[in-house]
Amino acid sequence: MAVSRPAPVPLPPTPADRPVYVIGAGPGGLAVAHALRARGVRAVVLERSDRVASSWRRHYDRLRLHTTRRLSALPGLAFPRRFGRWVARDDVVRYLEKYAEHHRLEIVTGVEVHRVEPTGDGGWLLHASGGRELTGTAVVVATGHNHTPRVPDWPGRETYTGEFLHAGEYRAPTPYAGRDVLVVGIGNTGAEIAVDLVEGGAARVRLAVRTVPHILRRSTLGWAAQYTGVLVRRLPVRLVDRLAGPVTRLSTPDLSAHGLPRPDTGLYSRVRQGAIPVQDVGLVDAVRRGRVEIVAAVEAFEDGKVVLADGGRITPDVVIAATGYVRALEGLVGHLGVLDEHGRPVAHGGRTPAGAPGLYFTGFTNPISGMLRELALDARRIARAVAKGLPARG
């Protein structure tokens, strides 16, 4: 267990034995911890792994941010210019390590929080690994949007003998060179892994699609798609849907002949349902050239074969399930009535759920304007709300 020493903060308004606990040392947790300390509030970050940015370290090697360097920085520290416009995974990790060091955040590693509950006097009790019981003034849950891999309950999956892995286990294309690979799911992760496999020498790459996504170019004539996302963030959904239609038709070719027709639902309507557009980093070209083949959704596994929704049966060497993640918050806070029917927090940012004052959530939405940008904004909102609710300085 490692603890970094915080810089002295004058007249802290929180008692030394009852700090604000931040659960998770990813970008959301680190940003909140800094924003709290900037307001004179002692924040202790609890991280279950042995270092910060643990989830970022597990992402595939090829990954780069789809948001710009300038609009992805957390409060109080810019990304170095040498990292380029689209920051690579390893550079994100370096940045988060530097962020914790630069702001001298108080981080305790090797501690997993299993359950939080109110104390009855306005505070919060955290039950953590090793039998620890920690009492805090407030709690910020920042365990991440991509917490636990999700694999659909496909019939026959448990007895399937072929090679199968979740996209969270994928790192690089080298082990799959010369092999027939089926990628299941066409979110940004599935699309990028498919392209990575093609460029890495896979003999055949198929991409199983259930719901056709909106596909956007990451940048057009220097204008990043994120800029548009920021501009339309607060506009009415129907208006954005109408505006997005002509833009996507002009910027992205029609792939209907290759199995990817244009979606019949609006872009922003889909975003509000949790489906972020696919940022094109090579998929469109790979599909047009036939290097990535689009096939129907996976329905089941049977007799060593993959059964598709159109009745087809295929026998790939490897199946990679890019089927997303679940937030896995039920054990931690499910008993408090603060989650919706999908397991998502009913409030986030500077707002707390009704009946749970002092409990905050960050990083559980996937906004069109960029996750890291929203984490930075949430951090300031949470710090402001926490500081406002604390006793006045003595």
Side-chain angles (χ1 to χ4, degrees):
M1 184 171 70
V3 180
S4 59
R5 296 180 179 177
V9 177
L11 297 175
T14 48
D17 60 339
R18 298 189 76 174
V20 174
Y21 283 108
V22 180
I23 306 173
L30 298 180
V32 169
H34 164 61
L36 286 167
R37 283 175 48 76
R39 287 180 172 269
V41 179
R42 183 186 176 206
V44 177
V45 181
L46 304 175
E47 169 57 43
R48 66 176 179 172
S49 71
D50 61 352
R51 48 191 174 171
V52 304
S54 62
S55 64
W56 279 92
R57 299 174 194 275
R58 296 193 299 269
H59 286 312
Y60 48 93
D61 296 348
R62 172 194 180 96
L63 179 67
R64 287 182 175 271
L65 294 181
H66 291 161
T67 54
T68 66
R69 180 188 75 247
R70 291 181 180 274
L71 293 185
S72 299
L74 302 179
L77 186 67
F79 274 103
R81 292 187 63 184
R82 68 178 184 277
F83 286 178
R85 192 182 196 195
W86 313 106
V87 183
R89 178 205 62 186
D90 288 350
D91 286 333
V92 173
V93 172
R94 292 187 185 98
Y95 170 78
L96 294 176
E97 290 175 335
K98 180 64 177 179
Y99 192 87
E101 177 187 354
H102 177 78
H103 292 302
R104 302 186 68 185
L105 302 180
E106 189 173 357
I107 302 170
V108 184
T109 60
V111 175
E112 182 173 7
V113 180
H114 302 299
R115 181 182 175 94
V116 300
E117 55 190 15
T119 59
D121 61 357
W124 288 89
L125 177 65
L126 291 74
H127 300 274
S129 53
R132 299 175 179 87
E133 291 190 346
L134 308 170
T135 304
T137 303
V139 174
V140 182
V141 180
T143 49
H145 192 274
N146 297 341
H147 186 274
T148 300
R150 172 186 174 273
V151 177
D153 187 20
W154 288 303
R157 162 70 189 90
E158 294 301 321
T159 57
Y160 179 66
T161 56
E163 185 173 347
F164 182 98
L165 66 151
H166 187 271
E169 302 172 78
Y170 177 89
R171 295 293 175 272
T174 305
Y176 312 100
R179 305 178 74 186
D180 181 341
V181 186
L182 172 67
V183 180
V184 185
I186 193 175
N188 277 294
T189 297
E192 192 155 353
I193 287 176
V195 173
D196 200 31
L197 289 164
V198 165
E199 295 178 355
R204 186 177 190 180
V205 178
R206 284 174 283 197
L207 186 57
V209 177
R210 182 172 300 278
T211 303
V212 178
H214 286 274
I215 302 176
L216 298 175
R217 296 198 181 280
R218 186 170 62 179
S219 178
T220 303
L221 299 176
W223 179 267
Q226 183 190 13
Y227 297 162
T228 303
V230 172
L231 291 175
V232 306
R233 181 84 164 90
R234 303 298 179 186
L235 293 179
V237 173
R238 290 183 180 179
L239 174 61
V240 178
D241 283 346
R242 288 199 297 269
L243 295 173
V247 173
T248 54
R249 284 193 292 272
L250 287 172
S251 64
T252 307
D254 186 0
L255 300 174
S256 298
H258 304 279
L260 279 180
R262 295 192 187 279
D264 57 6
T265 53
L267 184 150
Y268 204 24
S269 294
R270 293 276 292 277
V271 170
R272 295 297 291 270
Q273 296 168 4
I276 292 296
V278 170
Q279 302 281 308
D280 178 34
V281 290
L283 178 68
V284 169
D285 184 64
V287 169
R288 294 176 75 181
R289 291 172 178 268
R291 301 182 71 190
V292 171
E293 304 169 46
I294 303 300
V295 299
V298 171
E299 287 294 309
F301 293 79
E302 186 176 299
D303 298 329
K305 298 180 184 296
V306 180
V307 182
L308 303 179
D310 61 3
R313 292 169 177 255
I314 59 177
T315 54
D317 299 322
V318 185
V319 177
I320 301 175
T323 47
Y325 296 80
V326 294
R327 297 156 187 84
L329 293 171
E330 288 76 9
L332 185 67
V333 297
H335 55 288
L336 299 172
V338 298
L339 305 178
D340 65 16
E341 65 273 18
H342 302 292
R344 298 173 300 200
V346 296
H348 69 276
R351 297 181 295 111
T352 60
L359 179 63
Y360 299 87
F361 296 88
T362 184
F364 297 99
T365 60
N366 201 1
I368 195 172
S369 51
M371 173 70 80
L372 291 174
R373 178 180 180 274
E374 292 302 316
L375 289 176
L377 295 174
D378 272 356
R380 296 186 178 99
R381 295 176 185 130
I382 291 171
R384 184 167 56 248
V386 170
K388 184 178 179 180
L390 292 175
R393 296 173 185 239

